[in-house]
Amino acid sequence: MIQYLKCDEGFKEIENWEKDCWINVVNPTKEDVNTLTSHFNTPDYFIEDLSDTEERSRVDRDEGWLLTIIRVPNRIIDEDNDSIYTTGPIGIMVKDDIFITVYYGQNNVITNFINWSNQKKIEKRSGFDLYISIFLESTFWYLKYLKQIHTKMKQAEEKLSEKMTKDDLMRIMNIEKFLVYFTASLKDNESVLVRLKRLLTKGTYDDDLFDDADVELNQALNTAKIYSDILEHEQAAYSAIINNGLNQTMKKMTVITICLMVAALVPGFYGMNLTNGMEDWIYGFPFALCLTGVCAGIAYYLCKLFK
């Protein structure tokens, strides 16, 4: 689907392309790709690259086009009504007065940016300012989702402090996976922003807007790293607690085994098919039981003494 959006107190959809309008392409079909290549002479390979959900962020130049891929965050609700955080690519193509964004699948960044622009009644936003605004919007959503992930971390910590279960440990592992995706994508986006500053000509964009994008990106990247470090240390602590509990259990089982082995010696000796003088003694069996208990008690005392 191809949308033509014009900025006039927010982005309003128009029927045909006009100068300085925004061409937003969602889940492009073959007809959409043909329209873009025939009317605007866009490189078709770039749109094909975006169909790969694992495509990494990058900046290229080709026949006057500035071609950029950035990875943006997304949240999906699974069957258990739980949140799954992922990242996906968005392509931005800029040439003269032509501005095109392309993406596949669900994307909250573009939709919410358009809604925000309409609420704030933005009067003018086009060219590289629009480019940087979309970049900045994606960073805002990284920070928003990181706060949600942090809340999930706290909830998992509370459950693990009460009782350590397999499901809770798996939940921690999933959170770590989300943070790895976010950190990797933010690092790639940081490389794009650094290169973009070298490629863009001074005066073609708003310096303050670019600085805001840079600051917010660094904040998101540092936040993701901090949460990852916290989670890594927590997992190490949980692992130590599990190992300590296992060691205590094994120690108890070892003491019990030793005590039973020593106690088993007495009935073992007296149970042999040999004459030992206790066959006709009325107190023979109670004596053997008492001796067994004494031996087990001595073994337990020695284990506690030399633990």
Side-chain angles (χ1 to χ4, degrees), residues 266-300:
V266 175
F269 284 134
Y270 287 104
M272 292 182 180
N273 205 11
L274 298 172
T275 302
N276 51 37
M278 296 180 62
E279 295 85 353
D280 300 324
W281 188 27
I282 190 173
Y283 297 111
F285 182 69
F287 175 76
L289 285 178
C290 292
L291 186 59
T292 300
V294 171
C295 291
I298 293 173
Y300 177 77

Side-chain angles (χ1 to χ4, degrees), residues 83 159 229:
S83 297
K159 289 184 178 181
D229 290 342

Side-chain angles (χ1 to χ4, degrees), residues 57-94:
S57 304
R58 69 171 191 267
V59 181
D60 294 317
R61 281 192 179 277
D62 187 3
E63 297 181 355
W65 285 98
L66 179 65
L67 308 173
T68 308
I69 295 177
I70 61 172
R71 294 194 66 84
V72 299
N74 198 14
R75 187 183 70 165
I76 302 171
I77 305 299
D78 63 9
E79 297 176 354
D80 299 327
N81 202 30
D82 198 9
S83 297
I84 298 175
Y85 298 91
T86 60
T87 62
I90 282 183
I92 304 175
M93 298 183 281
V94 185

Side-chain angles (χ1 to χ4, degrees), residues 99-111:
F99 186 92
I100 305 173
T101 56
V102 183
Y103 61 90
Y104 288 84
Q106 179 185 353
N107 188 286
N108 295 328
V109 172
I110 297 295
T111 304

Side-chain angles (χ1 to χ4, degrees), residues 109-154:
V109 172
I110 297 295
T111 304
N112 285 280
F113 174 70
I114 294 173
N115 293 336
W116 173 84
S117 301
N118 293 333
Q119 290 173 2
K120 296 295 182 180
K121 298 186 181 300
I122 301 298
E123 294 182 359
K124 186 178 181 181
R125 194 63 60 89
S126 61
F128 291 120
D129 286 347
L130 177 56
Y131 185 117
I132 298 168
S133 296
I134 293 174
F135 198 107
L136 182 59
E137 181 72 16
S138 71
T139 308
F140 284 150
W141 279 93
Y142 272 113
L143 288 168
K144 181 176 181 178
Y145 288 149
L146 283 169
K147 288 181 181 178
Q148 295 177 7
I149 290 174
H150 188 228
T151 302
K152 284 181 170 291
M153 287 173 57
K154 288 184 176 180

Side-chain angles (χ1 to χ4, degrees), residues 30-295:
K30 289 184 178 180
E31 293 180 358
D32 294 335
V33 175
N34 291 333
T35 300
L36 293 175
T37 53
S38 60
H39 286 72
F40 304 103
N41 197 27
T42 59
D44 54 353
Y45 69 87
F46 183 75
I47 300 176
E48 185 178 347
D49 291 344
L50 291 168
S51 62
D52 182 7
T53 57
E54 302 300 324
E55 189 70 23
R56 298 187 64 179
S57 304
R58 69 171 191 267
V59 181
D60 294 317
R61 281 192 179 277
D62 187 3
E63 297 181 355
W65 285 98
L66 179 65
L67 308 173
T68 308
I69 295 177
I70 61 172
R71 294 194 66 84
V72 299
N74 198 14
R75 187 183 70 165
I76 302 171
I77 305 299
D78 63 9
E79 297 176 354
D80 299 327
N81 202 30
D82 198 9
S83 297
I84 298 175
Y85 298 91
T86 60
T87 62
I90 282 183
I92 304 175
M93 298 183 281
V94 185
K95 182 180 180 181
D96 300 328
D97 55 359
I98 304 172
F99 186 92
I100 305 173
T101 56
V102 183
Y103 61 90
Y104 288 84
Q106 179 185 353
N107 188 286
N108 295 328
V109 172
I110 297 295
T111 304
N112 285 280
F113 174 70
I114 294 173
N115 293 336
W116 173 84
S117 301
N118 293 333
Q119 290 173 2
K120 296 295 182 180
K121 298 186 181 300
I122 301 298
E123 294 182 359
K124 186 178 181 181
R125 194 63 60 89
S126 61
F128 291 120
D129 286 347
L130 177 56
Y131 185 117
I132 298 168
S133 296
I134 293 174
F135 198 107
L136 182 59
E137 181 72 16
S138 71
T139 308
F140 284 150
W141 279 93
Y142 272 113
L143 288 168
K144 181 176 181 178
Y145 288 149
L146 283 169
K147 288 181 181 178
Q148 295 177 7
I149 290 174
H150 188 228
T151 302
K152 284 181 170 291
M153 287 173 57
K154 288 184 176 180
Q155 293 173 350
E157 288 169 11
E158 291 175 359
K159 289 184 178 181
L160 285 171
S161 63
E162 296 173 0
K163 185 178 180 181
M164 204 169 293
T165 64
K166 180 181 177 181
D167 290 340
D168 293 329
L169 291 173
M170 288 299 297
R171 191 173 290 109
I172 286 288
M173 289 179 63
N174 286 332
I175 293 174
E176 184 181 22
K177 182 173 65 176
F178 300 152
L179 290 173
V180 169
Y181 287 153
F182 275 25
T183 303
S185 296
L186 285 166
K187 284 182 179 178
D188 289 344
N189 287 356
E190 184 182 37
S191 301
V192 167
L193 197 63
V194 169
R195 187 157 185 237
L196 193 63
K197 193 169 187 177
R198 295 200 303 264
L199 292 175
L200 297 184
T201 307
K202 273 285 188 180
T204 58
Y205 60 90
D206 187 336
D207 288 332
D208 292 337
L209 193 62
F210 194 98
D211 290 341
D212 289 343
D214 190 20
V215 169
E216 294 296 330
L217 180 61
N218 287 327
Q219 182 181 349
L221 183 56
N222 290 332
T223 302
K225 287 180 179 178
I226 290 170
Y227 290 167
S228 294
D229 290 342
I230 292 172
L231 206 58
E232 184 178 350
H233 287 98
E234 285 181 351
Q235 285 184 308
Y238 294 143
S239 179
I241 292 171
I242 293 172
N243 290 334
N244 183 61
L246 181 61
N247 290 338
Q248 293 296 326
T249 301
M250 292 303 298
K251 184 186 290 185
K252 291 177 182 178
M253 293 300 296
T254 302
V255 170
I256 293 172
T257 302
I258 292 173
C259 294
L260 291 177
M261 287 178 61
V262 172
L265 291 175
V266 175
F269 284 134
Y270 287 104
M272 292 182 180
N273 205 11
L274 298 172
T275 302
N276 51 37
M278 296 180 62
E279 295 85 353
D280 300 324
W281 188 27
I282 190 173
Y283 297 111
F285 182 69
F287 175 76
L289 285 178
C290 292
L291 186 59
T292 300
V294 171
C295 291

